[in-house]
mmCIF file of all heavy atoms in Angstrom:
data_model
loop_
_atom_site.group_PDB
_atom_site.id
_atom_site.type_symbol
_atom_site.label_atom_id
_atom_site.label_comp_id
_atom_site.label_asym_id
_atom_site.label_seq_id
_atom_site.Cartn_x
_atom_site.Cartn_y
_atom_site.Cartn_z
ATOM 1 N N PRO A 177 4.050 4.047 12.223
ATOM 2 C CA PRO A 177 3.170 4.592 13.152
ATOM 3 C C PRO A 177 3.590 5.900 13.773
ATOM 4 O O PRO A 177 4.703 6.413 13.476
ATOM 5 C CB PRO A 177 3.304 3.520 14.330
ATOM 6 C CG PRO A 177 4.616 2.949 14.141
ATOM 7 C CD PRO A 177 4.922 3.024 12.667
ATOM 8 N N PRO A 180 4.452 8.738 20.195
ATOM 9 C CA PRO A 180 3.437 8.920 21.210
ATOM 10 C C PRO A 180 3.057 10.358 21.362
ATOM 11 O O PRO A 180 1.785 10.576 21.548
ATOM 12 C CB PRO A 180 4.098 8.369 22.558
ATOM 13 C CG PRO A 180 5.168 7.507 22.057
ATOM 14 C CD PRO A 180 5.624 8.040 20.732
ATOM 15 N N ALA A 181 3.909 11.346 21.125
ATOM 16 C CA ALA A 181 3.575 12.723 21.394
ATOM 17 C C ALA A 181 2.398 13.224 20.392
ATOM 18 O O ALA A 181 1.605 14.040 20.656
ATOM 19 C CB ALA A 181 4.714 13.606 21.244
ATOM 20 N N ARG A 240 -7.927 41.886 -5.807
ATOM 21 C CA ARG A 240 -9.037 41.440 -4.959
ATOM 22 C C ARG A 240 -9.046 39.886 -4.651
ATOM 23 O O ARG A 240 -9.288 39.527 -3.531
ATOM 24 C CB ARG A 240 -10.358 41.700 -5.757
ATOM 25 C CG ARG A 240 -11.024 42.991 -5.380
ATOM 26 C CD ARG A 240 -12.385 43.002 -5.704
ATOM 27 N NE ARG A 240 -12.984 44.137 -5.350
ATOM 28 C CZ ARG A 240 -14.153 44.641 -5.844
ATOM 29 N NH1 ARG A 240 -14.742 43.965 -6.759
ATOM 30 N NH2 ARG A 240 -14.620 45.789 -5.413
ATOM 31 N N ARG A 244 -9.072 38.202 -1.173
ATOM 32 C CA ARG A 244 -10.156 37.215 -0.690
ATOM 33 C C ARG A 244 -9.479 35.910 -0.233
ATOM 34 O O ARG A 244 -9.914 35.317 0.804
ATOM 35 C CB ARG A 244 -11.010 36.804 -2.021
ATOM 36 C CG ARG A 244 -11.824 37.875 -2.406
ATOM 37 C CD ARG A 244 -13.080 37.906 -1.513
ATOM 38 N NE ARG A 244 -13.776 39.142 -1.797
ATOM 39 C CZ ARG A 244 -14.434 39.480 -2.928
ATOM 40 N NH1 ARG A 244 -14.501 38.524 -3.885
ATOM 41 N NH2 ARG A 244 -15.022 40.512 -3.100
ATOM 42 N N TRP A 263 -3.638 22.062 22.249
ATOM 43 C CA TRP A 263 -2.907 20.719 22.303
ATOM 44 C C TRP A 263 -1.635 20.875 23.068
ATOM 45 O O TRP A 263 -1.378 19.930 23.933
ATOM 46 C CB TRP A 263 -2.604 20.289 20.846
ATOM 47 C CG TRP A 263 -2.039 18.908 20.670
ATOM 48 C CD1 TRP A 263 -1.993 18.016 21.741
ATOM 49 C CD2 TRP A 263 -1.535 18.321 19.613
ATOM 50 N NE1 TRP A 263 -1.494 16.835 21.243
ATOM 51 C CE2 TRP A 263 -1.194 16.951 19.898
ATOM 52 C CE3 TRP A 263 -1.394 18.721 18.197
ATOM 53 C CZ2 TRP A 263 -0.667 16.083 19.014
ATOM 54 C CZ3 TRP A 263 -0.896 17.845 17.324
ATOM 55 C CH2 TRP A 263 -0.492 16.511 17.720
ATOM 56 N N ARG A 265 -1.112 22.706 25.597
ATOM 57 C CA ARG A 265 -1.472 22.631 26.999
ATOM 58 C C ARG A 265 -1.776 21.238 27.491
ATOM 59 O O ARG A 265 -1.404 20.925 28.593
ATOM 60 C CB ARG A 265 -2.750 23.560 27.112
ATOM 61 C CG ARG A 265 -3.092 23.777 28.623
ATOM 62 C CD ARG A 265 -4.291 22.971 28.913
ATOM 63 N NE ARG A 265 -4.803 23.340 30.228
ATOM 64 C CZ ARG A 265 -5.840 22.691 30.734
ATOM 65 N NH1 ARG A 265 -6.444 21.760 30.062
ATOM 66 N NH2 ARG A 265 -6.275 22.950 31.975
ATOM 67 N N ALA A 267 -0.214 18.432 26.034
ATOM 68 C CA ALA A 267 0.854 17.611 25.754
ATOM 69 C C ALA A 267 2.177 18.200 26.428
ATOM 70 O O ALA A 267 2.928 17.418 26.907
ATOM 71 C CB ALA A 267 1.143 17.437 24.326
ATOM 72 N N THR A 269 2.248 20.857 28.697
ATOM 73 C CA THR A 269 2.026 21.602 29.919
ATOM 74 C C THR A 269 1.632 23.102 29.701
ATOM 75 O O THR A 269 0.944 23.634 30.515
ATOM 76 C CB THR A 269 3.116 21.623 30.998
ATOM 77 O OG1 THR A 269 4.068 22.668 30.640
ATOM 78 C CG2 THR A 269 3.797 20.292 31.138
ATOM 79 N N GLN A 270 2.027 23.611 28.626
ATOM 80 C CA GLN A 270 1.898 25.106 28.460
ATOM 81 C C GLN A 270 1.284 25.464 27.129
ATOM 82 O O GLN A 270 1.742 24.925 26.137
ATOM 83 C CB GLN A 270 3.318 25.755 28.536
ATOM 84 C CG GLN A 270 3.391 26.966 29.324
ATOM 85 C CD GLN A 270 4.786 27.425 29.391
ATOM 86 O OE1 GLN A 270 5.717 26.642 29.108
ATOM 87 N NE2 GLN A 270 5.051 28.661 29.697
ATOM 88 N N TRP A 274 6.979 29.475 23.039
ATOM 89 C CA TRP A 274 7.903 30.032 22.068
ATOM 90 C C TRP A 274 8.818 29.077 21.539
ATOM 91 O O TRP A 274 10.039 29.288 21.428
ATOM 92 C CB TRP A 274 8.655 31.255 22.774
ATOM 93 C CG TRP A 274 7.778 32.410 23.136
ATOM 94 C CD1 TRP A 274 7.426 32.763 24.359
ATOM 95 C CD2 TRP A 274 7.154 33.367 22.286
ATOM 96 N NE1 TRP A 274 6.679 33.904 24.328
ATOM 97 C CE2 TRP A 274 6.421 34.251 23.034
ATOM 98 C CE3 TRP A 274 7.098 33.477 20.893
ATOM 99 C CZ2 TRP A 274 5.704 35.236 22.513
ATOM 100 C CZ3 TRP A 274 6.474 34.494 20.352
ATOM 101 C CH2 TRP A 274 5.759 35.473 21.161
ATOM 102 N N TRP A 280 7.548 30.974 14.731
ATOM 103 C CA TRP A 280 7.437 31.325 13.301
ATOM 104 C C TRP A 280 5.910 31.451 12.837
ATOM 105 O O TRP A 280 5.581 32.108 12.014
ATOM 106 C CB TRP A 280 8.276 30.422 12.387
ATOM 107 C CG TRP A 280 9.719 30.906 12.461
ATOM 108 C CD1 TRP A 280 10.689 30.516 13.261
ATOM 109 C CD2 TRP A 280 10.211 31.917 11.528
ATOM 110 N NE1 TRP A 280 11.836 31.250 13.003
ATOM 111 C CE2 TRP A 280 11.579 32.134 11.932
ATOM 112 C CE3 TRP A 280 9.753 32.719 10.555
ATOM 113 C CZ2 TRP A 280 12.406 33.050 11.354
ATOM 114 C CZ3 TRP A 280 10.572 33.640 9.856
ATOM 115 C CH2 TRP A 280 11.909 33.761 10.273
ATOM 116 N N VAL A 286 1.449 37.417 12.336
ATOM 117 C CA VAL A 286 1.620 38.889 12.464
ATOM 118 C C VAL A 286 1.739 39.559 11.111
ATOM 119 O O VAL A 286 1.132 40.561 10.820
ATOM 120 C CB VAL A 286 2.773 39.239 13.383
ATOM 121 C CG1 VAL A 286 3.264 40.663 13.257
ATOM 122 C CG2 VAL A 286 2.510 38.963 14.879
ATOM 123 N N HIS A 293 -4.354 44.513 7.349
ATOM 124 C CA HIS A 293 -4.449 45.912 7.739
ATOM 125 C C HIS A 293 -4.021 46.797 6.723
ATOM 126 O O HIS A 293 -4.641 47.936 6.431
ATOM 127 C CB HIS A 293 -3.685 46.079 9.047
ATOM 128 C CG HIS A 293 -4.426 45.617 10.283
ATOM 129 N ND1 HIS A 293 -4.379 44.297 10.631
ATOM 130 C CD2 HIS A 293 -5.241 46.204 11.196
ATOM 131 C CE1 HIS A 293 -5.124 44.123 11.746
ATOM 132 N NE2 HIS A 293 -5.627 45.270 12.140
ATOM 133 N N ARG A 295 -3.840 46.413 3.515
ATOM 134 C CA ARG A 295 -4.650 46.576 2.429
ATOM 135 C C ARG A 295 -5.933 47.370 2.710
ATOM 136 O O ARG A 295 -6.538 47.978 1.800
ATOM 137 C CB ARG A 295 -5.174 45.045 2.021
ATOM 138 C CG ARG A 295 -5.798 45.135 0.632
ATOM 139 C CD ARG A 295 -6.571 43.914 0.360
ATOM 140 N NE ARG A 295 -7.225 44.067 -0.925
ATOM 141 C CZ ARG A 295 -8.416 44.389 -1.062
ATOM 142 N NH1 ARG A 295 -9.105 44.834 -0.026
ATOM 143 N NH2 ARG A 295 -8.920 44.455 -2.286
ATOM 144 N N ALA A 296 -6.308 47.458 3.943
ATOM 145 C CA ALA A 296 -7.469 48.195 4.322
ATOM 146 C C ALA A 296 -7.218 49.621 4.518
ATOM 147 O O ALA A 296 -8.065 50.383 4.878
ATOM 148 C CB ALA A 296 -8.183 47.567 5.542
ATOM 149 N N THR A 297 -5.882 49.963 4.559
ATOM 150 C CA THR A 297 -5.572 51.325 4.829
ATOM 151 C C THR A 297 -5.310 52.055 3.433
ATOM 152 O O THR A 297 -4.388 51.657 2.670
ATOM 153 C CB THR A 297 -4.261 51.452 5.668
ATOM 154 O OG1 THR A 297 -4.410 50.543 6.761
ATOM 155 C CG2 THR A 297 -3.958 52.773 6.204
ATOM 156 N N SER A 299 -3.914 54.781 2.708
ATOM 157 C CA SER A 299 -2.664 55.484 2.487
ATOM 158 C C SER A 299 -1.565 54.453 2.139
ATOM 159 O O SER A 299 -0.397 54.870 1.766
ATOM 160 C CB SER A 299 -2.182 56.297 3.649
ATOM 161 O OG SER A 299 -2.130 55.479 4.737
ATOM 162 N N MET B 14 -7.280 47.406 11.161
ATOM 163 C CA MET B 14 -8.731 47.316 11.048
ATOM 164 C C MET B 14 -9.119 46.935 9.626
ATOM 165 O O MET B 14 -8.600 47.554 8.712
ATOM 166 C CB MET B 14 -9.317 48.733 11.366
ATOM 167 C CG MET B 14 -8.790 49.374 12.541
ATOM 168 S SD MET B 14 -9.489 48.791 14.078
ATOM 169 C CE MET B 14 -8.018 48.987 15.114
ATOM 170 N N GLU B 16 -11.265 47.546 7.247
ATOM 171 C CA GLU B 16 -12.341 48.315 6.780
ATOM 172 C C GLU B 16 -11.712 49.388 5.853
ATOM 173 O O GLU B 16 -10.581 49.830 5.901
ATOM 174 C CB GLU B 16 -13.027 48.997 7.944
ATOM 175 C CG GLU B 16 -14.232 49.773 7.434
ATOM 176 C CD GLU B 16 -15.264 49.925 8.533
ATOM 177 O OE1 GLU B 16 -15.412 49.003 9.315
ATOM 178 O OE2 GLU B 16 -15.985 50.960 8.488
ATOM 179 N N ASP B 23 -5.816 58.001 11.129
ATOM 180 C CA ASP B 23 -5.000 57.724 10.035
ATOM 181 C C ASP B 23 -5.003 58.880 8.989
ATOM 182 O O ASP B 23 -4.081 58.935 8.205
ATOM 183 C CB ASP B 23 -5.415 56.380 9.337
ATOM 184 C CG ASP B 23 -4.403 55.885 8.468
ATOM 185 O OD1 ASP B 23 -3.246 55.794 8.921
ATOM 186 O OD2 ASP B 23 -4.695 55.636 7.279
ATOM 187 N N MET B 55 -2.405 54.169 11.729
ATOM 188 C CA MET B 55 -2.335 52.815 11.224
ATOM 189 C C MET B 55 -0.912 52.527 10.806
ATOM 190 O O MET B 55 -0.407 51.380 10.968
ATOM 191 C CB MET B 55 -3.301 52.570 10.095
ATOM 192 C CG MET B 55 -3.293 51.250 9.567
ATOM 193 S SD MET B 55 -3.816 50.034 10.726
ATOM 194 C CE MET B 55 -5.543 50.094 10.439
ATOM 195 N N LEU B 62 3.906 46.196 14.241
ATOM 196 C CA LEU B 62 3.602 44.824 13.964
ATOM 197 C C LEU B 62 4.816 44.113 13.257
ATOM 198 O O LEU B 62 5.201 43.035 13.699
ATOM 199 C CB LEU B 62 2.470 44.783 12.922
ATOM 200 C CG LEU B 62 1.084 44.432 13.470
ATOM 201 C CD1 LEU B 62 0.174 44.327 12.338
ATOM 202 C CD2 LEU B 62 1.111 43.126 14.325
ATOM 203 N N SER B 73 13.855 32.394 17.973
ATOM 204 C CA SER B 73 13.720 31.111 17.453
ATOM 205 C C SER B 73 15.115 30.490 17.019
ATOM 206 O O SER B 73 15.203 29.254 16.702
ATOM 207 C CB SER B 73 12.765 31.077 16.257
ATOM 208 O OG SER B 73 13.397 31.735 15.153
ATOM 209 N N ILE B 80 13.086 28.269 27.519
ATOM 210 C CA ILE B 80 12.775 26.951 26.958
ATOM 211 C C ILE B 80 13.751 25.899 27.435
ATOM 212 O O ILE B 80 13.281 24.856 27.935
ATOM 213 C CB ILE B 80 12.867 27.051 25.370
ATOM 214 C CG1 ILE B 80 11.871 28.114 24.850
ATOM 215 C CG2 ILE B 80 12.415 25.690 24.780
ATOM 216 C CD1 ILE B 80 11.988 28.340 23.304
ATOM 217 N N PHE B 108 11.879 36.856 24.804
ATOM 218 C CA PHE B 108 10.421 37.107 24.954
ATOM 219 C C PHE B 108 10.146 37.764 26.211
ATOM 220 O O PHE B 108 8.941 38.171 26.494
ATOM 221 C CB PHE B 108 9.666 35.783 24.776
ATOM 222 C CG PHE B 108 9.857 35.289 23.359
ATOM 223 C CD1 PHE B 108 10.663 34.097 23.284
ATOM 224 C CD2 PHE B 108 9.415 35.872 22.249
ATOM 225 C CE1 PHE B 108 10.994 33.541 21.961
ATOM 226 C CE2 PHE B 108 9.753 35.394 20.952
ATOM 227 C CZ PHE B 108 10.431 34.210 20.836
ATOM 228 N N THR B 271 7.607 -0.416 18.182
ATOM 229 C CA THR B 271 7.612 -1.112 16.957
ATOM 230 C C THR B 271 8.789 -1.981 16.814
ATOM 231 O O THR B 271 9.784 -1.872 17.652
ATOM 232 C CB THR B 271 7.576 -0.152 15.728
ATOM 233 O OG1 THR B 271 8.727 0.628 15.818
ATOM 234 C CG2 THR B 271 6.330 0.835 15.790
ATOM 235 N N GLN B 275 10.931 2.171 17.434
ATOM 236 C CA GLN B 275 10.242 3.427 17.687
ATOM 237 C C GLN B 275 9.136 3.233 18.660
ATOM 238 O O GLN B 275 8.382 2.354 18.631
ATOM 239 C CB GLN B 275 9.645 3.867 16.255
ATOM 240 C CG GLN B 275 9.141 5.311 16.393
ATOM 241 C CD GLN B 275 8.214 5.665 15.237
ATOM 242 O OE1 GLN B 275 8.369 5.288 14.072
ATOM 243 N NE2 GLN B 275 7.187 6.495 15.504
ATOM 244 N N ASN B 301 -0.014 13.399 26.384
ATOM 245 C CA ASN B 301 -1.311 13.930 25.823
ATOM 246 C C ASN B 301 -2.467 13.731 26.825
ATOM 247 O O ASN B 301 -3.596 14.056 26.588
ATOM 248 C CB ASN B 301 -1.674 13.356 24.482
ATOM 249 C CG ASN B 301 -0.987 14.055 23.346
ATOM 250 O OD1 ASN B 301 -0.760 15.229 23.428
ATOM 251 N ND2 ASN B 301 -0.469 13.207 22.456
ATOM 252 N N ARG B 305 -5.099 15.751 36.334
ATOM 253 C CA ARG B 305 -5.502 17.033 36.958
ATOM 254 C C ARG B 305 -5.709 16.718 38.447
ATOM 255 O O ARG B 305 -6.556 15.982 38.849
ATOM 256 C CB ARG B 305 -6.641 17.674 36.368
ATOM 257 C CG ARG B 305 -6.653 17.736 34.892
ATOM 258 C CD ARG B 305 -6.341 19.176 34.359
ATOM 259 N NE ARG B 305 -5.857 19.255 33.053
ATOM 260 C CZ ARG B 305 -4.917 19.921 32.567
ATOM 261 N NH1 ARG B 305 -4.201 20.779 33.433
ATOM 262 N NH2 ARG B 305 -4.576 19.874 31.292
ATOM 263 N N TYR B 312 2.044 16.232 34.076
ATOM 264 C CA TYR B 312 2.315 15.848 32.707
ATOM 265 C C TYR B 312 3.493 14.896 32.644
ATOM 266 O O TYR B 312 4.466 15.097 33.340
ATOM 267 C CB TYR B 312 2.556 17.001 31.861
ATOM 268 C CG TYR B 312 1.603 18.031 31.732
ATOM 269 C CD1 TYR B 312 1.347 18.965 32.725
ATOM 270 C CD2 TYR B 312 0.738 18.102 30.611
ATOM 271 C CE1 TYR B 312 0.339 19.848 32.631
ATOM 272 C CE2 TYR B 312 -0.315 18.972 30.460
ATOM 273 C CZ TYR B 312 -0.461 19.904 31.507
ATOM 274 O OH TYR B 312 -1.452 20.803 31.370
ATOM 275 N N ARG B 470 2.161 21.763 36.539
ATOM 276 C CA ARG B 470 1.921 23.137 36.182
ATOM 277 C C ARG B 470 0.503 23.654 36.543
ATOM 278 O O ARG B 470 -0.463 22.952 36.380
ATOM 279 C CB ARG B 470 2.129 23.424 34.665
ATOM 280 C CG ARG B 470 1.986 24.965 34.307
ATOM 281 C CD ARG B 470 2.242 25.104 32.833
ATOM 282 N NE ARG B 470 3.575 24.962 32.506
ATOM 283 C CZ ARG B 470 4.507 25.905 32.439
ATOM 284 N NH1 ARG B 470 4.092 27.120 32.931
ATOM 285 N NH2 ARG B 470 5.658 25.691 32.123
ATOM 286 N N GLU B 475 -4.927 30.290 31.771
ATOM 287 C CA GLU B 475 -5.132 29.587 30.521
ATOM 288 C C GLU B 475 -6.550 29.595 30.111
ATOM 289 O O GLU B 475 -6.799 29.686 28.889
ATOM 290 C CB GLU B 475 -4.606 28.196 30.643
ATOM 291 C CG GLU B 475 -5.233 27.268 31.683
ATOM 292 C CD GLU B 475 -4.470 26.002 31.941
ATOM 293 O OE1 GLU B 475 -3.330 25.833 31.400
ATOM 294 O OE2 GLU B 475 -5.106 25.173 32.598
ATOM 295 N N ASP B 518 -15.329 46.632 0.875
ATOM 296 C CA ASP B 518 -15.101 45.962 -0.386
ATOM 297 C C ASP B 518 -16.072 44.740 -0.467
ATOM 298 O O ASP B 518 -15.939 43.719 0.270
ATOM 299 C CB ASP B 518 -13.631 45.454 -0.287
ATOM 300 C CG ASP B 518 -13.201 44.938 -1.657
ATOM 301 O OD1 ASP B 518 -14.052 44.928 -2.560
ATOM 302 O OD2 ASP B 518 -12.044 44.484 -1.684
ATOM 303 N N SER B 520 -17.999 42.774 -3.525
ATOM 304 C CA SER B 520 -18.302 42.660 -4.916
ATOM 305 C C SER B 520 -19.719 42.168 -5.233
ATOM 306 O O SER B 520 -20.238 42.412 -6.323
ATOM 307 C CB SER B 520 -17.234 41.675 -5.607
ATOM 308 O OG SER B 520 -17.365 40.501 -5.087
#
Side-chain angles (χ1 to χ4, degrees):
Chain A
R240 262 200 180 162
R244 289 281 166 73
W263 189 8
R265 188 255 188 181
T269 81
Q270 219 177 342
W274 296 108
W280 278 91
V286 164
H293 281 82
R295 193 194 176 266
T297 309
S299 60
Chain B
M14 315 281 145
E16 183 152 329
D23 195 53
M55 181 64 86
L62 260 182
S73 72
I80 301 173
F108 302 108
T271 59
Q275 188 192 327
N301 284 315
R305 306 256 162 222
Y312 297 81
R470 180 179 290 273
E475 61 191 10
D518 190 358
S520 59

